[in-house]
């Protein structure tokens, strides 16, 4: 279990409505009185519209910090002691129903000190899930009857869902909600890696980040043979309240449709929509900083962006000595994601972590998101237990209290990005000292960027390939292409001579005048 610790990077998200209310139309740039869509429900039945109304009403009241466990046995558990508390599947709330999905629960305690409310939706009615100590095996922890007084008002920190993902006779864990607004899911053949979050607020600002959290969940009990399940959540923080609807469909590529409505108590300087959180310790381009027998250690190795102009941009992740923030301005992005592109076990040599089986996570906006920025934040880290990478969308429009902000998107937990039609993709980025190898006194930095694609062997042999290469600062020298007989791809080599300023490097492959590859981008910090 990797710690969901991200140096202060947590998150939130929300939803509302019911009746008429003012909504700010991001596309038209004006206010309009609209009638919220209403689900047909009888009095007392659960609906997403009612949940949005609940979030809207919550945003109109002063923020109240969630109650935490009192000092005692459960709150005092260390990491290993907390891990020793295990849910007993045979005792679970759905264990006797023979459903295709199974729900299991996380106990409150340790680093998860604020219990969350969990409700089932059964026959369109929301039913609170009562705390049952008998759901859990407490392992070596010595728990007395008096200790359970600590959790009498709420003993669950989150939940996970299981599903026969990889075989029909075993229920794999397929999604987990645990800690602030973190959640993570799996496609077929994957091991847990990066996480998604509900919302990011003021990430990487000097004043510090705000940490929204999901305070209440509603899980719809599915029909016996259902292949999809709906999860709803209420999010709260000092600046925002909201409601979420998640529709999960597990499979080879596990899909999650997210519908979020946000209601702000106050203005927010930086709003991060659909934030993704991952870990990058070292890889081909940063291996010299770590004395480790493993060649690479990371949950993700690059940021991929499909911008509104149709370009596919690839930025390899880095673990530099200083905080690094990269911004990609766009209008109506088609998608972005943190990808785990290297899937060869020999490149990691870690038979426990299995980094080659970590999923990539792609965000596909639904509808037009307008102008804004995809931002990547990379934090220096010395340990692989910490998430130190985050990516999200920042709308250009500043949020204001009293309006509803609605965002819909689809998350793809998969090996790669759907629809990536670039003829050549970035396979790896290598760096080393510049100049001619073996010659003393070399300066600058040498880059070797490898591309793979079905036609590259033919194109290289015909002499049709060229480099489109630039640097915003500094000088490029000795740029050339070579063919890789092992991967059947091509490697672009060049030396970069910095001038003491931050520089944005940009590289693409061209066939004649046509760009046929993803655009490799790199930020050089002095």
């Amino acid at each position: 279990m990797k710690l969901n610790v991200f140096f202060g990077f947590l998150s939130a998200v929300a939803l509302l409505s019911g009746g008429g209310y003012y909504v700010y139309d991001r596309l038209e740039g004006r206010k309009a009185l609209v009638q919220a869509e209403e689900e047909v429900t009888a009095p007392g039945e659960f609906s997403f519209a009612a949940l949005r109304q609940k979030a809207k009403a919550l945003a109109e009241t002063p923020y109240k910090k969630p109650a935490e466990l009192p000092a005692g046995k459960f709150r005092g558990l260390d990491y290993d002691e907390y891990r020793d508390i295990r849910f007993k599947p045979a005792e679970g709330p759905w264990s006797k129903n023979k459903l295709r999905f199974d729900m299991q629960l996380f106990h409150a305690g340790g680093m998860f000190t604020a219990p969350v409310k969990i409700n089932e939706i059964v026959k369109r009615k929301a039913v609170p899930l009562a705390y049952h100590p008998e759901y859990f095996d407490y392992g070596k922890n010595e728990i007395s009857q008096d200790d359970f007084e600590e959790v009498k008002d709420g003993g669950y920190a989150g939940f996970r869902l299981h599903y026969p993902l990889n075989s029909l006779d075993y229920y794999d864990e397929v999604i987990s909600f645990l800690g602030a607004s973190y959640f993570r899911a799996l496609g077929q053949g994957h091991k847990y890696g990066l996480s998604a979050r509900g919302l990011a607020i003021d990430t990487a600002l000097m004043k510090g980040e705000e940490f929204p959290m999901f305070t209440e969940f509603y899980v719809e009990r599915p029909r016996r043979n259902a292949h999809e399940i709906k999860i709803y959540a209420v999010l709260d923080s000092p600046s925002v309240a909201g409601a979420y609807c998640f529709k999960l469909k597990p499979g080879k590529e596990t899909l999650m449709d997210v519908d979020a409505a946000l209601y702000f108590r106050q203005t927010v300087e930086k709003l991060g929509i659909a934030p993704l959180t991952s870990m990058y310790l070292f890889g081909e381009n940063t291996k010299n900083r770590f004395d480790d027998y493993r060649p690479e250690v990371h949950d993700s190795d690059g940021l991929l962006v499909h911008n509104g102009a149709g370009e596919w941009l690839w930025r390899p992740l880095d673990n530099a000595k200083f905080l690094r923030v990269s911004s990609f301005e766009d209008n109506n992005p088609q998608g972005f994601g943190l990808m785990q592109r290297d899937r060869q076990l020999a490149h990691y040599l870690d038979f426990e972590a299995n980094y080659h089986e970590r999923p990539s996570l792609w965000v596909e906006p639904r509808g037009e998101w307008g102008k804004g920025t995809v931002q990547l934040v990379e934090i220096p880290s010395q340990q692989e237990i910490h998430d130190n990478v985050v990516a999200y969308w920042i709308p250009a429009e500043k949020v204001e209290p009293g309006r509803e902000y609605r965002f819909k998107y689809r998350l793809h937990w998969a090996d790669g990005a759907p629809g990536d039609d670039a003829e050549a993709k970035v396979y790896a980025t290598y760096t080393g000292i510049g100049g001619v190898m073996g010659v003393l006194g070399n300066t600058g930095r040498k880059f070797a960027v490898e591309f793979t694609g079905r036609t590259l062997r033919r194109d290289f042999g015909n002499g049709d390939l060229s480099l489109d290469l630039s640097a915003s600062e500094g000088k490029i020298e000795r740029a050339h292409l070579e063919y890789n007989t092992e991967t059947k791809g091509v490697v672009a080599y060049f030396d970069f001579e910095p001038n003491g300023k931050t520089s944005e490097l940009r590289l693409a492959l061209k066939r004649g005048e046509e760009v046929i590859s993803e655009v490799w981008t790199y930020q050089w910090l002095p």
Side-chain angles (χ1 to χ4, degrees):
M1 175 182 176
K2 190 174 72 174
L3 294 176
N4 276 337
V5 177
F6 182 48
F7 295 94
F9 289 70
L10 295 179
S11 73
V13 164
L15 296 169
L16 115 75
S17 153
Y21 58 90
Y22 280 102
V23 175
Y24 186 72
D25 189 326
R26 297 190 303 278
L27 302 179
E28 299 296 330
R30 58 178 173 79
K31 273 187 177 182
L33 182 64
V34 302
Q35 183 70 27
E37 71 271 26
E38 288 288 352
E39 302 162 55
V40 179
T41 57
E45 290 186 340
F46 177 87
S47 72
F48 188 41
L51 193 67
R52 296 197 304 272
Q53 191 65 47
K54 179 176 182 177
K56 180 177 183 294
L58 185 63
E60 294 170 352
T61 63
Y63 172 71
K64 184 178 180 181
K65 186 178 179 180
E68 296 192 344
L69 295 176
K73 182 69 176 183
F74 288 108
R75 186 173 182 134
L77 296 174
D78 63 25
Y79 176 71
D80 290 324
E81 290 170 335
Y82 179 77
R83 288 189 65 189
D84 210 23
I85 300 179
R86 294 178 173 86
F87 188 83
K88 296 189 290 188
E91 302 295 330
W94 294 355
S95 60
K96 307 298 190 296
N97 296 93
K98 298 181 180 180
L99 304 176
R100 195 176 293 270
F101 287 90
D102 188 35
M103 180 166 63
Q104 300 185 16
L105 301 155
F106 293 105
H107 204 288
M111 63 183 295
F112 304 107
T113 59
V116 299
K117 297 178 182 178
I118 300 177
N119 304 272
E120 282 188 87
I121 304 173
V122 183
K123 296 181 179 179
R124 309 196 76 167
K125 298 282 188 177
V127 182
L129 193 61
Y131 172 67
H132 292 285
E134 61 271 18
Y135 281 170
F136 300 93
D137 181 340
Y138 297 89
K140 296 179 182 179
N141 294 299
E142 296 181 359
I143 308 294
S144 70
Q145 196 61 38
D146 291 340
D147 294 327
F148 289 115
E149 287 294 309
E150 296 176 45
V151 291
K152 65 181 181 180
D153 295 326
Y156 302 132
F159 68 96
R160 58 182 180 243
L161 297 178
H162 291 241
Y163 179 87
L165 184 65
N166 296 297
S167 67
L168 294 177
D169 56 357
Y170 183 79
Y171 277 52
D172 301 279
E173 186 174 339
V174 71
I175 191 168
S176 167
F177 287 84
L178 180 64
S181 67
Y182 276 97
F183 59 97
R184 52 185 183 170
L186 299 168
Q188 285 181 5
H190 291 151
K191 301 288 192 300
Y192 272 143
L194 79 169
S195 301
R197 298 190 287 154
L199 199 66
I201 295 180
D202 293 340
T203 304
L205 296 184
M206 290 298 294
K207 66 179 182 180
E209 185 176 7
E210 183 176 307
F211 312 138
M213 68 177 293
F214 292 135
T215 58
E216 190 168 6
F217 292 98
Y218 297 80
V219 185
E220 189 172 77
R221 183 183 291 184
R223 296 180 184 273
R224 177 167 293 185
N225 293 316
H227 295 276
E228 298 180 356
I229 190 169
K230 286 186 177 181
I231 303 159
Y232 302 87
V234 173
L235 178 136
D236 201 16
S237 79
S239 295
V240 64
Y244 273 73
C245 174
F246 304 96
K247 185 170 71 173
L248 178 73
K249 185 176 183 180
K252 180 175 178 57
E253 175 187 45
T254 288
L255 303 177
M256 175 184 276
D257 288 328
V258 183
D259 186 350
L262 305 172
Y263 306 91
F264 290 87
R265 292 185 173 93
Q266 58 192 32
T267 57
V268 171
E269 184 174 347
K270 183 196 286 189
L271 177 65
I273 300 299
L276 315 177
T277 297
S278 192
M279 180 276 293
Y280 183 90
L281 195 64
F282 62 90
E284 297 104 335
N285 57 320
T286 53
K287 61 183 184 298
N288 58 329
R289 286 190 56 212
F290 294 89
D291 187 12
D292 196 307
Y293 74 91
R294 297 169 296 178
E296 303 181 46
V297 175
H298 51 73
D299 286 337
S300 307
D301 53 12
L303 170 72
L304 184 64
V305 177
H306 192 196
N307 64 24
E311 285 185 314
W312 290 89
L313 307 177
W314 175 263
R315 169 146 297 188
L317 298 182
D318 201 352
N319 184 7
K321 295 180 180 179
F322 307 100
L323 177 71
R324 184 194 299 263
V325 179
S326 305
S327 299
F328 302 85
E329 291 188 4
D330 202 358
N331 187 19
N332 292 323
Q334 299 183 57
F336 66 92
L338 292 174
M339 319 306 289
Q340 183 73 320
R341 195 164 263 184
D342 191 337
R343 299 204 167 273
Q344 297 192 45
L345 175 60
H347 290 185
Y348 299 94
L349 294 179
D350 194 322
F351 304 99
E352 181 181 1
N354 291 310
Y355 287 115
H356 65 295
E357 295 179 337
R358 304 298 171 100
S360 299
L361 182 50
W362 183 253
V363 179
E364 177 190 355
R366 312 309 294 265
E368 295 185 342
W369 280 13
K371 293 182 179 180
T373 302
V374 174
Q375 188 166 92
L376 172 69
V377 177
E378 298 162 291
I379 306 168
S381 179
Q382 296 294 320
Q383 292 181 288
E384 63 197 274
I385 63 171
H386 298 302
D387 284 339
N388 64 322
V389 176
V390 65
Y392 42 77
W393 170 255
I394 305 173
E397 174 199 343
K398 295 298 182 182
V399 297
E400 298 179 9
R403 298 174 178 174
E404 180 198 54
Y405 294 86
R406 192 83 168 264
F407 292 92
K408 297 182 181 182
Y409 52 95
R410 171 171 285 182
L411 296 177
H412 299 253
W413 305 82
D415 283 347
D420 188 350
D421 57 358
E423 289 190 49
K425 297 177 176 59
V426 179
Y427 177 73
T429 300
Y430 305 90
T431 64
I433 191 168
V436 180
M437 294 299 99
V439 176
L440 297 177
N442 289 343
T443 60
R445 201 73 182 159
K446 183 178 294 294
F447 286 85
V449 181
E450 184 166 3
F451 293 86
T452 57
R454 291 191 303 271
T455 66
L456 292 183
R457 180 179 182 178
R458 181 197 67 199
D459 294 336
F460 183 83
N462 293 339
D464 293 336
L465 292 180
S466 62
L467 291 177
D468 186 357
L469 177 59
S470 64
S472 62
E473 295 287 345
K475 185 168 60 174
I476 300 290
E477 296 181 328
R478 292 180 284 276
H480 66 285
L481 276 172
E482 291 188 10
Y483 180 68
N484 186 330
T485 58
E486 181 70 22
T487 65
K488 305 298 189 293
V490 297
V491 184
Y493 295 92
F494 67 93
D495 284 1
F496 173 64
E497 293 288 343
N499 63 1
K501 299 179 181 180
T502 298
S503 182
E504 288 289 336
L505 309 179
R506 182 182 171 98
L507 166 67
L509 295 182
K510 296 179 70 174
R511 183 195 298 125
E513 296 301 314
E514 178 189 7
V515 173
I516 65 167
S517 72
E518 297 172 340
V519 179
W520 175 90
T521 69
Y522 195 93
Q523 186 183 73
W524 174 268
L525 295 179

